[in-house]
Amino acid sequence: MRTLIDFDDAPVFAVPTAAGVREGVLLDGPQGWGEFSPPAGADDALAARWLTAAMEPSTVGWPDAVRGRVPVSAGPPRVDVAAGGVDEAVSRIAALGASADLVELVCQNADDAVAVRRRVDVPVAVDAALLSGHPQGADVAVLRCGALGGVRRAMRRAEKLDLPCAVAFSGTTSIGLAADVALAAALPEPPMVFGPVPEWLADHDIVSHSRSLVPVDGHLPAAPMPAGPDPERLARVTVTDPATVARWRDLLYRAAALL
């Protein structure tokens, strides 16, 4: 699939957000566009999974949807186990009281998730990437399309875990977000969808206003492929700094070497 995409001319973008600038690369393939935007500090293995996810819509396309739109919620409260440890996480969840019917745990390993879950009465959601071999660590598996390597791989992970699922948004633009929606639309059982839709899309999306993913009546539409970038809107966020472009090109090629 790599030979079908020109990495050398793929545009690098930088989108300003309330939490800082988010960068990535757009990939143009024979089927359409994909977004490669692994988080800062991602190692080559994680970047390779993000690249697989970005190449999926631009080459083979996504699996067929079984629903035409997906509901979007703000998502449950998140408790960072890695920052404060198991005891503090348990205390924070207890302090939420009856206001929480689900909590997402931010963990570095499945053992911490298992330890917290055993000590709380509130159902917990955990990143599916941590749960391989440890489904007892969560009541809900959180699927993130980029980190799991695309829609198909995320669906296979969900099938193996055999847990209720939620889909969390990981895309930076409507092109990346469309992959998260495609995953939610293709899962056999309707998942929870953890939003919200990124607030920066209103001013800094790269597709046309009419194709930008904006909830209507609390839902987002599923599409067979993402919209292509609008040239004028893309130009506003395209990176021209040689060092930044070179850094992303290097990450692309290192990730591609692992595929």
Side-chain angles (χ1 to χ4, degrees), residues 121-141:
D121 296 325
V122 180
V124 298
V126 177
D127 195 314
L130 293 176
L131 293 176
S132 180
H134 295 84
Q136 70 275 19
D139 299 283
V140 174

Side-chain angles (χ1 to χ4, degrees), residues 38-254:
D43 61 20
D44 290 358
L46 177 57
R49 293 194 293 275
W50 274 83
L51 181 55
T52 301
M55 293 171 67
E56 185 179 36
S58 58
T59 53
V60 298
W62 293 315
D64 291 338
V66 296
R67 56 192 65 87
R69 62 178 193 161
V70 297
V72 181
S73 71
R78 304 179 79 204
V79 175
D80 193 339
V81 184
V86 170
D87 290 341
E88 182 175 328
V90 171
S91 296
R92 289 185 60 190
I93 293 171
L96 293 172
S99 65
D101 54 10
L102 180 69
V103 172
E104 182 179 1
L105 301 181
V106 181
C107 306
Q108 291 184 337
N109 57 72
D111 290 339
D112 284 349
V114 172
V116 172
R117 183 174 180 242
R118 286 174 176 167
R119 295 172 55 185
V120 299
D121 296 325
V122 180
V124 298
V126 177
D127 195 314
L130 293 176
L131 293 176
S132 180
H134 295 84
Q136 70 275 19
D139 299 283
V140 174
V142 182
L143 306 174
R144 289 180 166 85
C145 195
L148 290 173
V151 174
R152 286 174 176 80
R153 291 188 178 186
M155 292 178 69
R156 288 198 293 270
R157 178 63 63 90
E159 183 179 8
K160 290 179 180 179
L161 289 173
D162 194 27
L163 289 171
C165 290
V167 175
F169 293 156
S170 56
T172 298
T173 71
S174 280
I175 291 177
L177 187 61
D180 302 317
V181 176
L183 171 58
L187 286 166
E189 297 296 326
M192 293 173 277
V193 180
F194 294 169
V197 172
E199 77 283 350
W200 58 82
L201 291 185
D203 298 316
H204 302 293
D205 205 354
I206 58 174
V207 304
S208 66
H209 285 286
S210 63
R211 299 298 303 275
S212 191
L213 286 174
V214 177
V216 176
D217 296 328
H219 290 73
L220 285 174
M225 63 180 64
D230 175 82
E232 183 177 336
R233 300 192 85 187
L234 175 59
R236 296 174 186 169
V237 296
T238 296
V239 174
T240 57
D241 173 63
T244 302
V245 172
R247 171 167 53 82
W248 278 99
R249 293 275 185 270
D250 182 59
L251 182 60
L252 263 177
Y253 280 107
R254 295 202 317 268

